Each structure stands twice: as structure tokens, then as C-alpha cells.
Amino acid sequence: MLSRDEILKPIWYAFTALDVDRNGKVSKSQLKVLSHNLCTILKIPHNTSALEEHFKDDDEGPVSTQGYMPYLNMFILDKIQANFDFNELNKMCWTLSAPKRISSKHLLISGADTFKVWCIFNFLSEDKYPLHIVTEELEYFLRRLFAAVGCSWNEDRFEDYKMQLSVKKKNLNAWELIELIGLGHFTKGINTQTLSMGINVVFQELVMDVIKQGYMMKKGHKRKNWTERWFELHLNYMSYYVSEDLIEQKGCISLDRNCCVESLPDKDGKKNLFIIKCVEKSFEISASDKKTKQEWIQAIQDCIVRIRQGLSSPHRESRQKRREMRNRLKAEQEMMENRMRKLQLANERKQAQLEAMTKARMQMEEKVVEKASEVEQYWQRTQELEEMYSQLKKALDDERQAKEDEEALRILQARLLQEEANKRLELEKIHQQQQEILSQSQKEKEELERERREKESALQAAQEQLESLRRQREGAQEEYMAITKKLERAANKTKNWKHRVSKQEGLLRIISPGTKSPAKITNWGPAAFTETELNELERIWQENNN
């Protein structure tokens, strides 16, 4: 989408064309016509009462540019959609402004080429009013024009022209640029038809935003036949026509971030094939040669990458970079000029100080001359004073030497006293440390003696406890041997008892239902004996034990 600054440039020309008296004011009736035409071209619903309401306090007098701009922004530019034809807007504004500024009789180019140069000027001009083009953009335009017509660029000739231009001013307006191209200042020797073709190529690239154009073969979607078409590649779309006169458009390929372009192998007798894959359908195209095919693939891929990255077209991006470079250089130049001015002011201050010092020096020299005679008079008196001074100096040296000797002796005495005091303090500190060490040694000795007695008493108690444990162990051993013997006797009796029971009751015994009382547990397992048998066994074991 075009920026607001680019849309305002042709509108500014239309507004200034309506300003007949050149005082920056246009009547309300003319503004109504201009606003209606703008709304028609920009495809905006025109509100006729809005202009009347906006300027209701100025019904009879003209309307100033400051008053029309808020209306233009609010009711027209803020409602612009992306589907209007910018070339139609340029043509309408050109129709209003060109007849009053251009006389095509003395120009070597046609009216259509003049219009295209004007559009190129608007594209390359600065975003400041009145509009002008700087020498860097003028050189860029001329270089592209010479490259389009296949001529070499004359650097020296342009440098001479730039030097002549810088004497007056450093920029050109649109009408001066048209006159420069139309009179053939730089294009002498170039055929008019060739120059017109070169202007059209630059116009297509810069203004119409055509990245690449040319004839190629396209495969149809319905009949699958191959037809030659004139293709024009823009950033967001690729349109194709019957011929390069662009009268009959046959279709348009919309490019977005989901599209891709790929090379295809030769098939159906067609060579240098590539395909553009979009979301809805794909387009197969055949270029004239391999170089052209690769250039188209690279150009389409670059457009898709720019769409994915949110970048503008290459020419607009290049223009923006040149403007940023100029602004940066201008800022650096202004900084350098400010620095030079500061240095110049500092130099002027230094010069003034130097002049003041020179003046003071001359005054001092005059005073020196005046004082020279006085110095001569005092010279003899000075000689006498010098002799008296030498004697006085000798006496003072003797006195100073005596004072130095006295001071040295006093310092030596003070140093000895200080050393004596330090030694005394050191001896007192050593004596105190000795007393502390003796008291600490006595305490440690008493502590060690107390610990020794405690350990001896603990050792004696441990020995007594060990002896008691030894006696208990011997008694337990004897008791264990007695119990072992009793157990052996009980086991023998048990075997005999089992033998007698088996003889009396037999090998099988009827098991009667048990009681609800807890089962008895013995050495032979649960419920091995009845309650009566168990009591009898317990009685026999008790008698044997006794």
C-alpha cells in the first residue's frame, strides 16, 4: 500500500495549480470540485456537506491550505482503501497542474513522457514542500535512464553540472527536471524513440513498481494450450497481458507468503519451464532461455521472501536507504559544522586573549623602560647592601648552625628517652605475660591431677564390675550345666512315657471335638495331649525336678 506522503505529492500540485494568485489560498468552490474528483478516483463516498460544515465560518472568503489539510486527512485520506488506481490520481493532478507550467513546443519529448518524468520526480523527491529533488536522486535517475537506453554514463559531465547547480542551489523542482530531460541536456545524441523507451522503463520500475517484465509462454488451465503473454512482476502480484501495450489483461497471479516457485524439467516439447504454486492453483510458464528462466525464478522468490519478511519493494527500500544515508550524512555534517563553529569561536576567543596579552606586553615594556632608570640609580645602593648582606648572611649561617646542632642534640635526647620508655613498657608486658603463663600452668596442673584421680577411680570401678561379671558368668555356666542334665533326664522320661501310652491306646486315637478354650502348646505341637494327660505329665516332671 502506498504511503500517505506519496499520495499527498500529486494532490499538492493540483492544489497549487488552483492557487491562481500564488498566495496559498483556494476558493471553496474549487476545493469542492477537487475533493469530488479525489473521492471519485480514490473510490471514497463523497460527503458534500462535510466541506460546508468544515468551513462554515468562512463562506465568502478563500480557504487556506492550513484549513483544507485537516479536511483532506479526516474525510479523504483516512478512508483510502488499497483498491484505487494511483496512476489515475497522477493523471488527474497532472491535468490540472501541467498546462500552467509546461509548454511542450520547445521540448524534445512527448507529453506522455513528460508525465512519466513528473511521476518519477514525485517518487524520488523529498517529503518536504515545496517538492524538490536532490542531486543524489537526480544522479540515480539519470544513471537508470542511461542504463535503460544502453548508453554509457558521463561522470565528468554530471560533475560539471552539479558544480554549476551548487552555485545557485542544490536541488531541482519538477518543472526544472522536465526541462532538463526535455531539452536533452544529458541525452544529446540519443534517439527520441530510444529515450522514450528508456523513460518508460524507469517509470515502470520506480512508479509502477514493476520488478521485472517480458514475454513468456503460459500453459492454460482449461485447454492446456501454450500462449505467449506479456508478464509484469510486482511485489504482491504478477499480471499478464496479451501484449506489452497493457491494453488487455488476461489474468493476475497473487503472491503471498504461502506461494513458492520451482524449476520444472522439459516436457511436451517445452523447455526452460518453471511453476508458481499458489494456494488455489499453480501456473506453468516457459521462458525463452535458461538465463531468463533463472532471472524470473530469482525475482519471484525474492518477492515471496520480501512478503514473508514484511518488506517493501526493492526500489522503495533502496530509496528509503538513500534517504537515511543522506539524513545521516546531513546530521554528521551539521555536527561537524557545529564543531567547526565552536572551534572558530574558541579560536576567536584565543585571538582576543592573544591581542589583549600583546597589548599588556607593550604596556609592560613601556613600564620596563621607565623602571630602567630607577634600577640604574639603585644599582650602587644595591652593591653596598650586598656587602652588608654577605656579612649578615655569615652571622646568620653561624647562628643557624648552632641552632641545628642544638636541635640535633634535642632530637637525640628525645629519641633515647622514647627508646627507654618503650623498653620499660616492653619489660612490663613480658613480666605480665610470665605471670599469666604461671597462673595458667598452675590451673592446668590442677586440672590434670583432678582428671587423673577421676580416671583412676573409674578404672577401679570398671575392674570391680568386670570381676563381678566374671563371677556371674561362672555361676550362669554352672546353672546351665545343671539345667542341661535335667533336660536330658526329662527327655528320657518323656520317651518312656510315649512308649507306654502307645502300648495302651494304640497307634490310633479318636480325636474328640476340642473345647472353645485356647489350644495348649507343648514341645510336641498343639493339642498333642489332653488336659488330664498334660496335668499328669506336669506333676511327674515336678516330682523329678524336686
Side-chain angles (χ1 to χ4, degrees):
M1 177 128 182
L2 294 171
S3 65
R4 180 168 296 192
D5 292 331
E6 293 182 87
I7 300 174
L8 276 175
K9 288 179 180 180
I11 298 175
W12 178 79
Y13 280 103
F15 187 90
T16 53
L18 298 176
D19 182 15
V20 180
D21 298 331
R22 304 287 180 89
N23 58 0
K25 296 183 179 180
V26 180
S27 64
K28 188 185 294 184
S29 60
Q30 290 176 317
L31 287 181
K32 287 181 180 179
V33 176
L34 176 61
S35 301
H36 181 75
N37 292 333
L38 289 176
C39 291
T40 302
I41 294 174
L42 298 176
K43 299 180 180 180
I44 298 172
H46 183 52
N47 187 0
T48 56
S49 62
L51 187 64
E52 294 288 346
E53 182 67 21
H54 188 73
F55 298 108
K56 62 182 179 180
D57 297 333
D58 193 8
D59 293 333
E60 298 179 357
V63 180
S64 65
T65 56
Q66 296 177 354
Y68 185 63
M69 279 305 298
Y71 169 80
L72 182 65
N73 287 320
M74 185 182 302
F75 294 98
I76 298 178
L77 298 182
D78 288 346
K79 299 178 181 180
I80 290 179
Q81 302 297 327
N83 58 350
F84 75 95
D85 190 350
F86 183 61
N87 198 30
E88 290 296 326
L89 176 65
N90 283 329
K91 288 179 180 179
M92 187 271 289
C93 297
W94 168 259
T95 304
L96 290 175
S97 58
K100 300 180 180 180
R101 303 301 299 267
I102 294 179
S103 176
S104 59
K105 294 180 181 180
H106 64 283
L107 296 178
L108 302 177
I109 57 178
S110 64
D113 293 336
T114 307
F115 165 71
K116 292 175 182 178
V117 173
W118 179 75
C119 293
I120 293 171
F121 170 85
N122 290 339
F123 179 80
L124 297 176
S125 62
E126 302 296 309
D127 296 334
K128 297 178 182 178
Y129 297 92
L131 295 175
H132 64 273
I133 184 173
V134 296
T135 55
E136 291 84 358
E137 296 296 330
L138 174 61
E139 181 180 0
Y140 175 78
F141 166 54
L142 293 175
R143 283 182 180 273
R144 295 199 68 85
L145 180 60
F146 273 76
V149 299
C151 296
S152 59
W153 170 252
N154 193 337
E155 185 74 32
D156 297 334
R157 188 174 182 182
F158 182 78
E159 289 296 329
D160 294 339
Y161 175 77
K162 191 161 61 173
M163 291 295 294
Q164 296 173 6
L165 185 64
S166 62
V167 174
K168 302 177 183 179
K169 54 182 180 178
K170 295 183 179 180
N171 50 62
L172 295 174
N173 59 31
W175 319 117
E176 290 172 341
L177 177 63
I178 292 173
E179 185 176 359
L180 181 69
I181 302 300
L183 295 179
H185 184 80
F186 288 100
T187 58
K188 289 181 180 179
I190 301 177
N191 186 14
T192 305
Q193 186 176 1
T194 305
L195 179 61
S196 176
M197 184 170 34
I199 293 174
N200 183 63
V201 170
V202 179
F203 172 78
Q204 292 289 330
E205 291 179 354
L206 300 184
V207 180
M208 302 305 293
D209 207 10
V210 177
I211 299 174
K212 188 172 180 58
Q213 57 185 351
Y215 280 106
M216 290 188 295
M217 301 293 292
K218 175 186 171 296
K219 185 178 181 179
H221 286 88
K222 295 182 179 179
R223 291 184 292 177
K224 305 299 181 181
N225 59 333
W226 290 87
T227 310
E228 187 179 43
R229 298 290 183 225
W230 174 263
F231 287 85
E232 283 190 351
L233 175 63
H234 299 261
L235 179 63
N236 296 306
Y237 64 94
M238 182 177 177
S239 57
Y240 50 94
Y241 304 82
V242 174
S243 62
E244 57 184 308
D245 56 12
L246 308 181
I247 296 177
E248 184 180 356
Q249 182 176 355
K250 301 300 291 183
C252 182
I253 304 172
S254 297
L255 301 178
D256 55 26
R257 60 176 57 250
N258 298 317
C259 295
C260 66
V261 57
E262 298 177 359
S263 177
L264 292 178
D266 298 341
K267 63 179 181 178
D268 300 334
K270 295 295 180 182
K271 298 182 179 180
N272 308 312
L273 296 174
F274 64 92
I275 184 172
I276 303 175
K277 295 181 179 179
C278 300
V279 176
E280 296 180 356
K281 57 184 176 179
S282 301
F283 301 85
E284 293 186 18
I285 301 172
S286 172
S288 58
D289 52 48
K290 291 184 178 180
K291 180 181 178 182
T292 306
K293 167 189 172 181
Q294 190 61 35
E295 290 176 354
W296 275 99
I297 292 176
Q298 184 63 37
I300 297 171
Q301 184 64 36
D302 183 62
C303 291
I304 297 172
V305 171
R306 287 180 175 275
I307 293 171
R308 291 172 181 172
Q309 295 177 355
L311 302 177
S312 58
S313 62
H315 303 300
R316 297 180 185 277
E317 186 178 359
S318 176
R319 180 188 62 180
Q320 185 63 27
K321 288 182 179 179
R322 292 196 303 273
R323 287 182 178 179
E324 292 176 356
M325 178 63 71
R326 285 198 300 274
N327 293 334
R328 185 163 58 251
L329 292 176
K330 185 178 179 180
E332 293 177 356
Q333 185 177 3
E334 291 177 355
M335 187 183 300
M336 186 64 68
E337 290 177 356
N338 292 332
R339 189 177 299 175
M340 291 298 295
R341 282 196 294 269
K342 290 180 181 179
L343 292 175
Q344 187 176 0
L345 292 175
N347 190 17
E348 291 177 356
R349 288 196 297 268
K350 293 291 184 182
Q351 190 69 23
Q353 292 176 1
L354 183 60
E355 291 177 358
M357 291 176 64
T358 304
K359 188 176 180 180
R361 179 173 170 273
M362 293 176 66
Q363 293 176 357
M364 290 295 294
E365 288 178 354
E366 293 177 357
K367 290 182 179 180
V368 168
V369 173
E370 292 177 0
K371 295 294 182 180
S373 59
E374 297 179 3
V375 171
E376 191 68 27
Q377 294 176 3
Y378 286 106
W379 178 254
Q380 294 179 357
R381 180 62 178 167
T382 303
Q383 294 292 332
E384 297 176 358
L385 291 175
E386 283 182 356
E387 186 177 356
M388 294 175 63
Y389 175 74
S390 62
Q391 295 177 1
L392 181 61
K393 184 178 180 182
K394 185 177 180 181
L396 289 174
D397 289 340
D398 295 339
E399 184 179 0
R400 186 176 64 254
Q401 184 65 34
K403 286 183 178 180
E404 289 178 355
D405 295 340
E406 182 181 1
E407 182 67 20
L409 183 60
R410 187 183 64 78
I411 291 172
L412 178 61
Q413 185 177 5
R415 183 171 60 79
L416 293 174
L417 290 174
Q418 184 65 33
E419 290 179 357
E420 183 179 357
N422 292 338
K423 290 293 183 181
R424 185 180 296 110
L425 290 174
E426 187 176 355
L427 289 174
E428 289 178 357
K429 188 182 293 184
I430 292 172
H431 178 70
Q432 186 177 0
Q433 291 177 354
Q434 289 178 351
Q435 292 295 329
E436 292 177 355
I437 291 171
L438 288 175
S439 61
Q440 187 176 1
S441 300
Q442 186 65 27
K443 290 180 181 179
E444 291 178 354
K445 183 177 179 181
E446 292 175 356
E447 183 69 22
L448 290 173
E449 183 65 25
R450 183 179 59 79
E451 290 180 358
R452 185 184 62 79
R453 288 195 298 270
E454 289 178 356
K455 289 180 179 180
E456 287 180 355
S457 60
L459 180 61
Q460 186 175 0
Q463 289 177 352
E464 292 176 356
Q465 187 176 4
L466 182 61
E467 183 65 24
S468 175
L469 290 174
R470 186 182 61 78
R471 288 194 299 270
Q472 291 177 5
R473 183 178 60 81
E474 292 177 354
Q477 185 70 22
E478 293 176 356
E479 186 177 355
Y480 173 74
M481 295 299 294
I483 290 172
T484 302
K485 292 178 179 180
K486 290 179 181 181
L487 286 175
E488 289 178 357
R489 288 195 301 270
N492 294 329
K493 290 179 180 180
T494 302
K495 289 179 181 180
N496 296 330
W497 177 255
K498 281 183 178 182
H499 183 67
R500 286 184 299 181
V501 168
S502 60
K503 286 181 177 181
Q504 293 177 4
E505 296 183 359
L507 296 176
L508 296 176
R509 181 175 55 89
I510 297 174
I511 299 174
S512 61
T515 62
K516 294 183 179 180
S517 60
K520 298 295 183 177
I521 303 299
T522 63
N523 292 336
W524 296 277
F529 300 96
T530 62
E531 188 69 25
T532 305
E533 293 173 344
L534 185 61
N535 291 333
E536 183 65 21
L537 290 174
E538 185 179 358
R539 183 183 62 79
I540 295 170
W541 179 83
Q542 194 68 26
E543 290 177 355
N544 294 330
N545 190 24
N546 291 333

